[in-house]
Amino acid sequence: MATVSIHDGARVAVAGVPCLVRAFRCDAPLDPPARIYFGAATSIVIGRGDLIATITGTGLEIRVPDNGMSTNHARITRRDGGWIVEDAGSKNGTTVDGRPLTSPASLVHGTVIEIGHTFFVFHDSMPPNLGSEPLTIARDTNGLALTTFNPSLARQFEMLARVAGSTLSVVILGETGTGKEVVARALHRLSGRKGAFIAVNCGAIPATLIESELFGIKKGAFSGATEDRPGLFRAADGGTIFLDELGELPPAAQVALLRVVQENEVTPIGGVRPIQIDARVVTATHRPLEALVEKTAFRSDLYARLAGLTVRLEPLRGRREDLGLIIASVLRRIAPDQTALRFSRLAARALFTHPFSRNVRELEKALRLAVAIAPGGAEIDLEHLPEILQSEPREVVGERDEDDEPAVESEEGRKARLVELLTAHKGQVAAVARDMGKARMQIHRWIQRYELDLESYRRL
């Protein structure tokens, strides 16, 4: 069987042009992100204004209706074969990869630029024909879809759409939590197959039961087999069977599975006649199957049969440009009041700088927690996210609207205000944080800096 892999590296070096993805807005997290190509521009100005990107000769203006931005907030310039970003004297400052920008900084692929309440992600070489919107396929009635700005993933999703109507088997590789089952379900929706989608975690089934679970049993096959059981492959007849954690499949089950994918038939344990089935096989694993084949831990003939198409999903840390898309998708499913959704800059910065070792699964759990514990109608702040996302201090450059009074205040003034509020709220840090518009972690840092005795205020 011919096989094809459509992933050719973590990031494909193709002829392209640099661009910014306007990935996320704290004050409008459901607003659609967009890709903005630099074109022939060598100087890019980003600032407040009606939502537009205008290129004139070698200049590009990017405007966003963001009250945290100055009219001319930041500038990106071509220099010595690369690109640099610098603050243009804004009132609220600019943050790059979570750090305040105090001098011009070089941009590399994946750099996150925070301007006002808006987060941008820089790409140094993007294929020029992808347009401003993300590629989106397989949207369902709940709004779930495969959607991405990432060119490598876009190519793979397009290939999935092209092969969806065939019976070609698919292997999906990727770290835990990257959405392998989401991709498999999307492929099933695209296929138009009328049968069920059956998901099986091969690693969760004891080795002694895996064959009976997959292929079924005949009554009397062994002690306790009191009735016929069709098995999961027959349950997926006319549809798709998704075998997750394929690398955990024991050798005996690999042999039986090979016959199923070769002959499109299953023989239940205790049975003598094979039963024809029509089930598309999609498999997934976080383990390196090619390496397992080389070590003879996985059958090479089975791998060749299953890998009609191999798709490799990038970890979330490698596709920051998609973070806003994924956040919006999750929020649409879990947030009861979507009209009031907004994030503090600290919370959004934590999401964009956290490595997410468990990928989209970890991000979704973080958002579920935040939506559950944030007061109704209040913005999601750093304190509403899991502790692991709060572990690194993230100073904001300025937390105010452009038309507000300047945010910079003297140390004496800040300390006096802090003491006043601690006294008024009897040492309740959460109440002080709300009044100051800061995260509780920031209030605790100031209490330590000014050597204030929190317990003394609580005894008032």
Side-chain angles (χ1 to χ4, degrees):
M1 177 184 291
T3 63
V4 59
S5 175
I6 52 175
H7 177 88
D8 45 358
R11 184 171 67 89
V12 183
V14 296
V17 295
C19 76
L20 285 177
V21 173
R22 192 186 71 246
F24 186 73
R25 283 183 57 190
C26 299
D27 54 346
L30 300 184
D31 272 13
R35 179 167 34 213
I36 305 164
Y37 285 100
F38 289 4
T42 57
S43 178
I44 297 92
V45 173
I46 305 172
R48 184 180 57 173
D50 294 335
L51 189 62
I52 194 171
T54 305
I55 189 166
T56 305
T58 59
L60 171 64
E61 286 190 7
I62 299 173
R63 300 295 177 188
V64 180
D66 182 336
N67 285 333
M69 287 188 186
S70 298
T71 303
N72 294 315
H73 194 113
R75 182 178 294 106
I76 296 174
T77 309
R78 181 78 168 171
R79 182 181 296 179
D80 299 328
W83 295 88
I84 63 163
V85 61
E86 56 189 325
D87 190 79
S90 69
K91 291 184 178 179
N92 282 333
T94 301
T95 301
V96 174
D97 288 334
R99 297 180 178 85
L101 183 63
T102 57
S103 60
S106 297
L107 295 178
V108 297
H109 181 83
T111 295
V112 177
I113 308 170
E114 178 187 340
I115 301 175
H117 301 99
T118 305
F119 287 74
F120 298 87
V121 179
F122 174 74
H123 272 257
D124 56 2
S125 184
M126 181 72 70
N129 59 343
L130 298 181
S132 62
E133 298 181 357
L135 173 86
T136 301
I137 64 170
R139 189 180 300 280
D140 68 6
T141 55
N142 295 318
L144 287 173
L146 299 184
T147 183
T148 184
F149 283 108
N150 184 286
S152 174
L153 278 181
R155 282 191 296 274
Q156 298 188 75
F157 291 168
E158 287 176 330
M159 183 66 82
L160 280 173
R162 292 207 295 270
V163 305
S166 72
T167 59
L168 191 71
S169 56
V170 176
V171 172
I172 306 170
L173 304 177
E175 294 180 7
T176 298
T178 48
K180 296 185 287 293
E181 184 172 339
V182 173
V183 173
R185 288 184 180 275
L187 179 63
H188 176 67
R189 291 198 301 274
L190 288 169
S191 73
R193 298 177 70 85
K194 303 301 183 183
F197 176 89
I198 303 296
V200 185
N201 186 336
C202 297
I205 303 175
T208 55
L209 298 178
I210 187 72
E211 291 184 61
S212 61
E213 289 292 319
L214 291 178
F215 312 126
I217 58 175
K218 294 290 290 183
K219 180 179 178 181
F222 49 80
S223 177
T226 58
E227 61 181 2
D228 288 347
R229 293 180 57 188
L232 295 169
F233 263 90
R234 289 175 64 189
D237 192 24
T240 302
I241 187 164
F242 173 59
L243 302 178
D244 199 5
E245 301 300 346
L246 180 69
E248 309 302 324
L249 206 63
Q254 292 181 33
V255 175
L257 180 57
L258 177 61
R259 179 170 180 80
V260 172
V261 296
Q262 281 180 329
E263 307 297 337
N264 294 319
E265 60 185 28
V266 296
T267 302
I269 292 177
V272 294
R273 293 185 178 179
I275 300 170
Q276 288 291 127
I277 59 167
D278 173 25
R280 198 216 201 112
V281 180
V282 181
T283 57
T285 181
H286 69 280
R287 302 182 65 186
L289 276 185
E290 296 93 336
L292 294 179
V293 169
E294 291 179 3
K295 296 177 181 177
T296 69
F298 195 88
R299 294 183 64 99
S300 60
D301 49 359
L302 176 59
Y303 177 67
R305 285 283 178 178
L306 294 174
L309 174 69
T310 300
V311 175
R312 302 174 194 266
L313 301 182
E314 293 192 26
L316 188 55
R317 61 185 175 275
R319 45 184 296 214
R320 297 284 178 186
E321 66 272 33
D322 286 342
L323 201 53
L325 291 170
I326 299 169
I327 290 172
S329 175
V330 173
L331 291 176
R332 289 188 181 99
R333 286 188 283 116
I334 68 172
D337 182 8
Q338 298 177 7
T339 60
L341 282 172
R342 62 190 190 279
F343 287 73
S344 73
R345 290 171 60 189
L346 277 174
R349 189 180 304 160
L351 294 174
F352 271 85
T353 56
H354 186 65
F356 287 108
S357 59
R358 293 182 296 280
N359 294 292
V360 178
R361 187 176 301 157
E362 182 183 2
L363 171 63
E364 180 166 343
K365 287 184 178 180
L367 293 173
R368 285 185 179 277
L369 175 65
V371 169
I373 67 175
E379 73 175 9
I380 292 174
D381 204 350
L382 187 63
E383 65 188 73
H384 303 131
L385 297 175
E387 288 186 7
I388 190 171
L389 272 75
Q390 302 180 29
S391 60
E392 297 179 2
R394 298 174 176 89
E395 293 282 355
V396 291
V397 180
E399 281 286 357
R400 61 190 176 89
D401 285 349
E402 175 72 7
D403 298 326
D404 291 344
E405 291 298 316
V408 178
E409 60 183 337
S410 68
E411 290 288 317
E412 293 81 6
R414 180 187 292 135
K415 180 180 178 180
R417 186 181 179 208
L418 183 60
V419 168
E420 178 186 359
L421 290 174
L422 284 170
T423 302
H425 293 295
K426 299 185 183 300
Q428 297 299 313
V429 173
V432 174
R434 284 195 298 271
D435 281 1
M436 297 188 75
K438 301 293 181 182
R440 285 186 297 181
M441 182 183 297
Q442 179 64 70
I443 303 302
H444 281 293
R445 285 199 294 268
W446 283 337
I447 289 171
Q448 292 177 353
R449 181 189 303 176
Y450 302 135
E451 299 180 346
L452 301 176
D453 182 6
L454 185 58
E455 289 303 317
S456 68
Y457 293 95
R458 291 173 175 170
R459 290 193 296 266
L460 292 175

